[in-house]
Amino acid sequence: MTRKKILGSHVKRLLSGVSDHGRKHLTEVETDLMQTGILLEEAIENLSFNFMAIHAAVSAQQDTIALLLDGGVPPAEQREKLLALQDEVGGYVNAAITSMQFQDMTSQLIDRTLKRVTGLREFLGTLGEHGAEMLPESDNEEIVALLGRVSMALAIQSLELRSVLRKAVSQQHLESGDIELF
């Protein structure tokens, strides 16, 4: 085999290998990210359940609250339970709001990461397509020209991907204010 054929064969194998292995790994990453999204949705369902539990706890103290509203004086044990309930419910509500903010920001990160994975898969597809153009008998000039086309195509894809991705992740869907990360 001539030197040119060996070089062309190596470059072709390299580009095809990077493309094939990269696509497989990115598919796994994408699957993991989608599963993470599902788990976050389950976390929100748990938050809803906990809010209902808070409501049930408050409702259980309704007799004591009604007595107080009517000007009555509850026994010491009921007063202590009512005061403890106030702190407990306040803690649960604060934790739930923090969890919802975390879920919103995490969802944005997952969405951005999925876009990045899709962009990277396209990069690898570009490598694979150009690798298929490589012939073992290609001379050095053809190899250099091919690598130039690959570099240009990847640079364009990189700019397009960067323009799609936002730098900041901000809180949405909550009325408690704005939060930005990154």
Side-chain angles (χ1 to χ4, degrees):
M1 233 181 188
T2 67
R3 186 175 182 188
K4 284 188 254 180
K5 286 184 181 180
I6 292 172
L7 176 63
S9 177
H10 285 293
V11 170
K12 181 176 182 172
R13 188 171 39 238
L14 171 70
L15 292 176
S16 295
V18 167
S19 178
D20 292 342
H21 291 292
R23 284 182 189 196
K24 288 175 187 173
H25 288 291
L26 287 173
T27 298
E28 291 297 322
V29 168
E30 188 175 28
T31 299
D32 289 346
L33 288 172
M34 285 190 274
Q35 187 171 4
T36 301
I38 291 168
L39 292 173
L40 285 170
E41 289 300 319
E42 288 178 21
I44 293 301
E45 288 176 21
N46 287 335
L47 282 171
S48 297
F49 174 81
N50 288 324
F51 275 128
M52 294 307 294
I54 290 169
H55 174 70
V58 170
S59 294
Q61 296 297 319
Q62 194 61 37
D63 290 340
T64 305
I65 294 168
L67 179 64
L68 287 170
L69 291 174
D70 289 339
V73 179
E77 182 180 309
Q78 282 183 323
R79 293 183 79 191
E80 288 174 19
K81 282 183 182 180
L82 196 57
L83 290 173
L85 180 65
Q86 178 182 0
D87 292 337
E88 187 178 333
V89 169
Y92 287 140
V93 169
N94 287 336
I97 289 172
T98 300
S99 296
M100 286 187 291
Q101 290 170 338
F102 171 78
Q103 187 276 336
D104 181 55
M105 291 182 284
T106 304
S107 293
Q108 291 177 62
L109 287 170
I110 289 171
D111 182 57
R112 185 171 73 181
T113 302
L114 285 170
K115 287 177 184 174
R116 187 175 307 279
V117 166
T118 300
L120 288 171
R121 183 182 296 123
E122 290 172 6
F123 285 2
L124 294 170
T126 297
L127 287 173
E129 289 168 16
H130 287 287
E133 295 174 19
M134 181 69 65
L135 301 175
E137 54 274 351
S138 298
D139 64 21
N140 288 346
E141 288 178 21
E142 291 171 326
I143 293 171
V144 168
L146 175 64
L147 293 176
R149 289 192 303 273
V150 170
S151 292
M152 181 60 72
L154 292 177
I156 290 169
Q157 285 177 321
S158 179
L159 288 173
E160 288 172 350
L161 181 60
R162 267 189 251 149
S163 71
V164 169
L165 298 174
R166 290 185 15 205
K167 297 279 185 205
V169 174
S170 60
Q171 175 187 351
Q172 296 176 352
H173 308 298
L174 290 176
E175 311 263 342
S176 63
D178 292 334
I179 295 176
E180 276 198 20
L181 296 178
F182 311 104

